[in-house]
Amino acid sequence: AAAPDLLPLHPLLYPKRKRSTEVVMRVARVALLLLTSFSRASGSHVVSGTDARLPMSLSTVIQDLETEGASYVTTATFITSKSVRKTESATLLQRLFGISGNGNDLVEYGVTTAFGKKLADSPEAENDDSDGGSGVAIACPNCSRNEATASEVSSTVVACGGTIVYVADSVDLGRGEGLFDYLGPAIERLLAFRTMAESEDSDIPKHWKHRPSTLIVVFNGVSSEKELNQAKREWQNAASQMLKSIIQPTQRATKLDDVFDRIEYLSATKTEDV
């Protein structure tokens, strides 16, 4: 059965063409690079940005990327914890996704809800006339001062297949509050959606069941390797407690590795080198 609070939000975000498992896994393997290094490469450029409501605004930038010839589009949601200031969020968004030049006119954190970036063609794409290269569609709800609603963010995470770039502030990490105001409800909704997609009477396309997901955690206020390792331990402990508190389907996740196919950790001070 379809849950009315999930399905009506996402019909335009279903892939127009059924993709093979091999293609989906190819996107999974390069997801981290698509979201960081490749997006900064020469030849990459912002195609469009929108201030329309999420998650449906994602369909606009995905369509713009397809118009630009992108054959593969990776989607992700950019979320921050409670104490990350709006100016910090804007700076990190620019650094992580290489937004500069004309892109600054199309992407403004707090106003832009989603944007699309066409990536520089890979050598394989240049030699394959049927491959138009790749793109990223990034949803960036305004998490500053809880401007975005938890429901909006949760629906957007589901629409992006569970791939998230998450900025965790050291203040929130230290006091154990404000870390999961958005991420907790988003994971709860994501797990419910996956369970629904697996049911035999669900009308959700089956290939959504196999969409690989990546979590990239960026620690704000952390600089040294020692601090990064400490932040990772605190984060993982806090995440385990969060998972115990949310409503889950019958097969419970006890750690983030049970939710995401791949998890990467970065220090915000190192994002200029990504």
Side-chain angles (χ1 to χ4, degrees):
D5 62 331
L6 287 179
L7 288 182
L9 295 173
H10 311 297
L12 294 181
L13 296 172
Y14 293 155
K16 294 182 178 180
R17 297 175 298 278
K18 186 175 181 180
R19 296 173 180 171
S20 68
T21 302
E22 290 77 12
V23 170
V24 173
M25 290 311 297
R26 171 187 167 183
V27 173
R29 286 193 295 269
V30 301
L32 182 63
L33 293 176
L34 290 178
L35 294 172
T36 53
S37 300
F38 284 179
S39 68
R40 298 169 59 88
S42 174
S44 299
H45 61 282
V46 176
V47 171
S48 66
T50 177
D51 60 2
R53 185 176 180 178
L54 287 168
M56 293 309 296
S57 59
L58 274 169
S59 63
T60 301
V61 296
I62 290 173
Q63 289 166 3
D64 290 340
L65 285 166
E66 290 181 339
T67 300
E68 286 284 309
S71 299
Y72 310 102
V73 176
T74 298
T75 54
T77 309
F78 178 82
I79 312 174
T80 65
S81 69
K82 187 174 182 178
S83 295
V84 180
R85 296 191 297 270
K86 184 177 180 180
T87 54
E88 293 174 320
S89 297
T91 299
L92 285 169
L93 190 68
Q94 291 174 342
R95 287 180 181 174
L96 284 165
F97 301 107
I99 301 170
S100 61
N102 294 333
N104 287 329
D105 298 329
L106 297 172
V107 182
E108 179 183 353
Y109 185 80
V111 176
T112 305
T113 57
F115 65 93
K117 188 166 187 179
K118 180 70 162 55
L119 306 182
D121 288 338
S122 65
E124 292 81 2
E126 291 177 353
N127 297 323
D128 184 356
D129 292 336
S130 66
D131 190 339
S134 302
V136 289
I138 306 300
C140 42
N142 184 6
C143 298
S144 300
R145 303 193 179 196
N146 293 326
E147 289 288 336
T149 66
S151 178
E152 175 188 6
V153 173
S154 298
S155 298
T156 303
V157 167
V158 172
C160 289
T163 290
I164 301 170
V165 178
Y166 189 82
V167 182
D169 195 86
S170 58
V171 172
D172 299 326
L173 197 60
R175 67 186 182 185
E177 297 178 0
L179 277 177
F180 304 110
D181 292 359
Y182 288 116
L183 190 59
I187 290 177
E188 182 175 299
R189 182 79 67 91
L190 180 64
L191 293 174
F193 184 86
R194 288 173 176 171
T195 298
M196 190 166 26
E198 292 174 354
S199 65
E200 293 183 359
D201 59 344
S202 171
D203 57 358
I204 300 173
K206 289 298 181 183
H207 51 273
W208 274 65
K209 172 183 175 182
H210 302 290
R211 288 187 74 184
S213 59
T214 298
L215 173 66
I216 302 174
V217 183
V218 182
F219 292 114
N220 193 43
V222 172
S223 54
S224 68
E225 190 69 23
K226 181 179 179 180
E227 290 176 338
L228 178 61
N229 290 331
Q230 177 63 27
K232 285 170 60 176
R233 287 192 294 271
E234 294 177 354
W235 164 265
Q236 290 165 352
N237 290 336
S240 295
Q241 294 302 313
M242 175 271 293
L243 289 171
K244 291 178 181 179
S245 67
I246 65 174
I247 299 174
Q248 294 193 38
T250 52
Q251 187 174 355
R252 293 189 59 83
T254 59
K255 56 186 184 301
L256 290 176
D257 298 271
D258 298 329
V259 180
F260 300 95
D261 297 289
R262 180 173 181 175
I263 303 176
E264 298 288 341
Y265 297 96
L266 297 172
S267 165
T269 61
K270 302 295 184 182
T271 54
E272 291 184 353
D273 301 324
V274 172

